[in-house]
Amino acid sequence: MQFPESWLRAFCNPALNTQELAELLTMSGLEVEELRPVAPPFHGIVVAEIVAAAQHPDADRLRVCKVNAGGPELLQIVCGAPNARAGIRVPLATIGAELPPGEDGKPFKIGKGKLRGVESFGMLCSARELKLSEDHGGLLELAADAPIGEDIRKHLNLDDTLFTLKLTPNLAHALSVYGIAREVSALTGTPLVQPTIEPAAVGSDATLPVRIEAPDLCGRFSGRVIRNVDTTATTPQWMVDRLARCGQRSVSPLVDISNYVMFELGRPSHIFDLDKIHGELIVRWGRKGEQLKLLNGNTIEVDETVGVIADREQVESLAGIMGGDATAVSDATTNIYVEAAFWWPKAVMGRSRRFNFSTDAGHRFERGVDPAGTVDHIERITQLIVEICGGPDTACGPMDDQTTQLPERRPVALRVERAAKVIGMPVTQADCEGVFKRLGLEFAVSAPGVITVTPPSFRFDLQIEEDLIEEVIRVLGYPKLPSTPPLAPVVGKVRSETRRATHALRHAMAGLGYFETINFSFVEARWEQELAGNADPIQLLNPIAAPLAVMRTSLMGSLVQVLRNNLSRKAPRVRVFEIGRVFLRDASVLESDTTIAGVNQPMRLAGLAWGPADQQQWAQKDRAVDFFDVKGDLEALFAPRVLRFEAAEHPALHPGRSARVLLDGEPIGVIGELHPKWRQGYELPTAPVLFELSLDAALARTLPQGKGVPRLQAVQRDLALIVNEQVTHDAVMQAIESSGEALVRSARLFDVFKPAQPTAELKAGERSLAVRLELLDDENTLTDERIEQAVAKVVTALGDRLGARLRG
């Protein structure tokens, strides 16, 4: 926010110099990023009038001017400016004057000179020579009533300072000169000059029908018809200067007036050419395929997420951001419609960036603009239009003001005791009440030590108790805070031993030979469709690149792309992992400080292995990594916790070489070889093995339990079981566990046998599994009888559950 100090002091003029005022604003949260003089130092330049201008006798491009500078005699000045002519008033650098420093940093001193034989007693100046602008098209022409002989610095108010504020997004009420003046008044106690806004005399019954179809887009819409305005009038110099010092160039009277009121009062508005509107204005959401040519010349296509103002035939304006070219005012305009509205911040937020431009209007509306001031601000615009562009036939129509729904100003309670605790110094209830009075906040004492504040309509930022505490200390003054060191015990944050740190997990993965990679959370839609089976991913409104247009629901696509990048650089072996967030649609997720409504954002651990299973070694042949290598890596990562794997299907994985990973009976992820279709689609020489797990499951761990060394010797028994080929190792282990035999401490499969041809014992479709049981009793020595009973119990359980029988 840039503005001239003189404009601010027109509303509130505290007894502070420029530096003190800048310090006050900065210490109150309105950071002054830069102070810059309006004009560089120079002196001896006055207002002068060219009385006569004649051609130089020896130079085609020079003119000899007779100039009245307020002295007893006319001065002779030789000038080469193309607009040097009799009757205009311009700046004159008299003899002895100093112009602003040039490129060498030294001021340019004016003396008596002679040009082509003609004496010159001074210099007529352009705006560029005075370093007021880059315009070098000719002399700086001043107002016709500029006092002759007056110092140019005083006449143009050049002893002024430009303030540039760096405002945080919650300070929307300070995005105007009046808003900043209101803050200065509260901070200093200096009276605030209220702008005088008188209702315009209604001289016409002309109105324009307006229909609001989207109350979630527009909460209030005000407008007025004004007929017979002179759009060819000249914008007053004082307005042009103030706009220029706010960083806004003059365009035309009506546009300048709209911009001026925006900088003055903080409300963007728009002026339509009434005769170009077809029938009525309709405030609604856009429709897919509708196009709009904006005032900046760009043609955009809107959809259902973009608010518009339309008439009966076409879209005319981008709501809260920029007007359309079709209804723009021009020199031929005679009848206008002035509009001021309250647009909901969320309905405007991000729309400008979507179309790759930004506007002052959008900047303000997406932060919040006072919904209570639409009528007053239209009256202020009307007042300026009548004053600058009005004539005898100018007629103002009645005010049309429609309200659908406005923000609810919920009361916020402040506990004085808590305020003192948070601020860190004693604060009384009288101090808090005094601050709220100075800020113009309505309040009531609801209980001893509790003040309930009702925020005004222009303070969108006052929502919780901490907001009020901030107001109290910034008005009282941060310099008043005592310089006391914090008193707090230094206590280490002890992490629960049942959960390892994420960094420890990274070390564990690195120890297994994997390299960490970090990828974007936004990915190609193709990856989501093919590798995650997600046909409706979350779309980005403004992607950094066209392909990276959706939020990922799986880390696998990113890892496959990392593999492709490595293969393009001839990497012989790739093992990578990523710990990252995925984004899933979930209607049960509610809006909070850490969540977004309808979006679940869990963390995942994913990995990929491709190429030889081990590093090259002369003593062994290369073998491609397979499912069981990566399965072993996961088992090592989770040890001593035991993982189970059961056959499952996944859109990205080979249907016969993939499994669901279970921990304590709960699914935590998947593992498998990339589907042949995608291996071919992504142009990979061989298929990698991938896994993706819940990060919370990977971080959880069990605490070690102390156990004494067995005093008695364990006993081992080997069983050769004949089972169907479809019986899995996991099913055998579960059957042994289900037997409930307390003596069995462990079971391990150590051999699988299937004859080339069926035999009398091993029929077709059967195989033999050799299992070693370890039996132990901590209290008593095992007898043959107890051992045989335990083994028989296990064999019975295997037979009942799996149809297994002992091999003869």
Side-chain angles (χ1 to χ4, degrees):
M1 174 68 185
Q2 179 180 301
F3 61 91
E5 180 183 1
S6 59
W7 198 359
L8 173 65
R9 290 185 182 275
F11 287 117
C12 182
N13 190 11
L16 302 172
N17 62 34
T18 300
Q19 292 295 335
E20 291 170 340
L21 180 58
E23 178 69 14
L24 174 73
L25 290 172
T26 298
M27 293 307 296
S28 68
L30 308 176
E31 181 186 351
V32 178
E33 190 173 32
E34 183 185 18
L35 288 177
R36 181 163 51 89
V38 169
F42 57 80
H43 65 83
I45 302 174
V46 298
V47 177
E49 181 180 13
I50 301 177
V51 177
Q55 185 67 42
H56 191 289
D58 296 325
D60 294 338
R61 296 188 178 182
L62 297 179
R63 297 177 70 80
V64 180
C65 302
K66 298 295 182 179
V67 177
N68 178 13
E73 297 180 355
L74 298 179
L75 299 177
Q76 179 173 284
I77 309 292
V78 179
C79 178
N83 63 334
R85 64 187 186 278
I88 64 171
R89 299 191 180 186
V90 294
L92 167 66
T94 58
I95 294 176
E98 287 189 354
L99 292 181
E103 295 181 358
D104 58 358
K106 297 178 181 180
F108 182 70
K109 199 164 187 176
I110 301 298
K112 179 181 176 182
K114 182 179 288 189
L115 282 77
R116 294 288 183 94
V118 178
E119 289 185 327
S120 181
F121 298 89
M123 174 181 170
L124 300 179
C125 303
S126 68
R128 185 176 181 183
E129 287 162 341
L130 297 180
K131 299 292 180 68
L132 301 181
S133 74
E134 292 301 314
D135 182 16
H136 195 49
L139 300 176
L140 174 60
E141 297 189 26
L142 305 175
D145 59 350
I148 295 175
E150 185 177 46
D151 189 296
I152 199 70
R153 298 193 73 91
K154 178 182 178 182
H155 176 68
L156 296 180
N157 192 22
L158 299 181
D159 293 321
D160 199 356
T161 304
L162 298 183
F163 279 62
T164 301
L165 301 189
K166 186 178 182 181
L167 298 175
T168 51
N170 64 317
L171 297 176
H173 62 283
L175 282 169
S176 67
V177 178
Y178 179 73
I180 298 166
R182 186 168 48 203
E183 291 292 308
V184 173
S185 176
L187 295 169
T188 63
T190 306
L192 178 66
V193 178
Q194 300 283 347
T196 303
I197 302 176
E198 297 291 341
V202 177
S204 167
D205 60 356
T207 59
L208 177 68
V210 176
R211 182 155 39 97
I212 302 176
E213 294 184 351
D216 55 338
L217 166 65
C218 178
R220 185 176 185 180
F221 194 97
S222 304
R224 156 179 283 161
V225 171
I226 304 178
R227 292 191 176 278
N228 301 317
V229 296
D230 179 12
T231 55
T232 63
T234 302
T235 304
Q237 190 60 42
W238 60 267
M239 182 178 288
V240 173
D241 291 342
R242 282 186 171 178
L243 287 174
R245 293 173 189 183
C246 289
Q248 180 69 49
R249 66 180 180 86
S250 175
V251 179
S252 66
L254 293 177
V255 175
D256 292 346
I257 290 169
S258 178
N259 288 334
Y260 180 84
V261 174
M262 178 181 69
F263 286 114
E264 181 182 47
L265 303 176
R267 174 174 305 284
S269 58
H270 187 62
I271 301 177
F272 295 85
D273 187 323
L274 179 65
D275 299 325
K276 296 178 182 178
I277 299 174
H278 303 95
E280 64 176 341
L281 290 182
I282 306 167
V283 180
R284 58 174 173 81
W285 293 103
R287 295 164 186 157
K288 192 168 183 62
E290 288 184 323
Q291 291 190 334
L292 168 65
K293 185 178 180 182
L294 298 169
L295 290 173
N296 62 6
N298 294 347
T299 299
I300 63 171
E301 183 174 317
V302 302
D303 59 22
E304 297 83 356
T305 64
V306 179
V308 300
I309 301 176
D311 60 20
R312 292 175 181 171
E313 295 186 6
Q314 61 187 7
V315 176
E316 300 293 2
S317 178
L318 202 56
I321 299 173
M322 185 180 287
D325 182 69
T327 54
V329 294
S330 64
D331 290 346
T333 299
T334 56
N335 304 312
I336 61 173
Y337 181 77
V338 183
E339 164 265 314
F342 168 70
W343 307 102
W344 287 95
K346 285 190 176 181
V348 179
M349 197 175 299
R351 272 53 172 194
S352 296
R353 292 186 294 276
R354 176 177 176 180
F355 299 114
N356 299 318
F357 66 86
S358 62
T359 63
D360 286 324
H363 182 78
R364 285 164 171 78
F365 278 123
E366 67 185 7
R367 285 159 173 76
V369 174
D370 183 7
T374 57
V375 171
D376 284 343
H377 294 176
I378 287 183
E379 294 289 3
R380 173 61 171 155
I381 294 171
T382 303
Q383 176 184 347
L384 292 171
I385 290 175
V386 172
E387 178 183 328
I388 297 170
C389 303
D393 297 331
T394 302
C396 302
M399 185 71 67
D400 176 25
D401 183 28
Q402 300 184 44
T403 300
T404 55
Q405 58 179 352
L406 298 179
E408 182 183 355
R409 301 286 88 190
R410 296 181 180 177
V412 183
L414 171 75
R415 294 165 290 175
V416 177
E417 184 178 347
R418 172 163 170 76
K421 182 178 180 181
V422 172
I423 291 171
M425 72 177 191
V427 176
T428 66
Q429 183 166 328
D431 292 333
C432 298
E433 291 178 2
V435 168
F436 298 149
K437 286 179 182 177
R438 290 164 66 178
L439 289 171
L441 306 180
E442 295 182 7
F443 65 89
V445 180
S446 53
V450 179
I451 304 174
T452 301
V453 175
T454 302
S457 57
F458 60 86
R459 292 301 299 268
F460 283 77
D461 58 316
L462 300 181
Q463 299 178 0
I464 58 177
E465 184 179 27
E466 283 72 13
D467 296 330
L468 296 179
I469 295 173
E470 181 185 5
E471 294 299 298
V472 169
I473 184 54
R474 77 181 187 88
V475 174
L476 292 179
Y478 289 111
K480 292 184 179 180
L481 288 172
S483 299
T484 54
L487 299 176
V490 179
V491 180
K493 185 178 180 181
V494 181
R495 185 185 297 274
S496 171
E497 294 186 23
T498 60
R499 186 178 176 88
R500 58 180 162 185
T502 306
H503 204 61
L505 179 63
R506 291 187 173 98
H507 276 281
M509 289 298 298
L512 294 170
Y514 291 80
F515 292 87
E516 185 176 12
T517 179
I518 301 174
N519 300 291
F520 287 129
S521 295
F522 24 88
V523 299
E524 293 187 31
R526 175 192 175 190
W527 301 355
E528 283 297 300
Q529 179 80 26
E530 298 175 349
L531 301 181
N534 182 14
D536 185 27
I538 299 171
Q539 299 283 336
L540 287 172
L541 291 178
N542 187 24
I544 62 171
L548 306 180
V550 301
M551 303 301 292
R552 64 185 179 184
T553 61
S554 169
L555 305 183
M556 290 187 182
S558 301
L559 294 181
V560 169
Q561 184 61 32
V562 169
L563 173 61
R564 296 179 67 194
N565 291 338
N566 278 269
L567 292 180
S568 67
R569 290 158 179 79
K570 308 300 182 184
R573 183 174 186 267
V574 178
R575 285 197 171 208
V576 292
F577 77 96
E578 180 179 6
I579 296 175
R581 196 175 299 280
V582 297
F583 304 84
L584 312 171
R585 294 189 186 275
D586 187 347
S588 65
V589 178
L590 303 178
E591 186 83 18
S592 73
D593 293 340
T594 57
T595 59
I596 297 174
V599 181
N600 186 22
Q601 305 178 53
M603 295 288 289
R604 299 273 180 84
L605 165 67
L608 176 147
W610 178 89
D614 298 302
Q615 297 285 358
Q616 272 192 327
Q617 216 262 42
W618 64 270
Q620 65 183 19
K621 293 182 178 180
D622 283 347
R623 176 180 62 83
V625 68
D626 60 18
F627 174 93
F628 297 99
D629 292 313
V630 180
K631 173 177 176 287
D633 290 338
L634 293 186
E635 290 174 331
L637 184 68
F638 278 79
R641 305 186 77 185
V642 179
L643 295 177
R644 285 181 47 224
F645 301 84
E646 63 180 26
E649 293 188 2
H650 186 276
L653 304 179
H654 193 298
R657 300 176 186 176
S658 59
R660 184 181 298 111
V661 184
L662 296 98
L663 179 66
D664 299 331
E666 295 294 327
I668 63 169
V670 293
I671 178 176
E673 186 179 295
L674 186 67
H675 198 291
K677 181 167 57 174
W678 308 136
R679 180 199 66 76
Q680 184 176 6
Y682 290 95
E683 300 177 345
L684 302 176
T686 57
V689 180
L690 302 105
F691 67 85
E692 184 170 9
L693 309 173
S694 165
L695 180 63
D696 287 337
L699 295 179
R701 62 181 178 183
T702 57
L703 294 178
Q705 300 290 330
K707 187 178 291 187
V709 177
R711 294 182 295 107
L712 302 173
Q713 188 173 0
V715 174
Q716 293 181 344
R717 288 292 186 270
D718 293 344
L719 300 177
L721 304 169
I722 299 175
V723 297
N724 190 282
E725 282 184 338
Q726 304 303 319
V727 175
T728 63
H729 166 268
D730 192 50
V732 172
M733 295 299 115
Q734 287 189 44
I736 294 174
E737 185 179 350
S738 69
S739 68
E741 178 51 60
L743 295 182
V744 177
R745 296 302 173 91
S746 68
R748 183 171 64 87
L749 177 70
F750 66 89
D751 183 54
V752 178
F753 171 71
K754 182 179 180 182
Q757 298 293 331
T759 65
E761 188 176 26
L762 284 171
K763 300 174 183 177
E766 292 183 333
R767 59 180 175 176
S768 172
L769 305 179
V771 179
R772 177 162 294 164
L773 303 179
E774 183 182 65
L775 298 92
L776 178 66
D777 188 339
D778 291 330
E779 302 297 332
N780 301 299
T781 301
L782 292 176
T783 63
D784 288 344
E785 183 180 359
R786 293 184 64 194
I787 294 171
E788 294 304 324
Q789 288 177 352
V791 171
K793 190 174 181 181
V794 170
V795 172
T796 301
L798 288 166
D800 292 342
R801 290 176 63 94
L802 306 177
R805 64 183 189 277
L806 289 176
R807 186 176 172 189

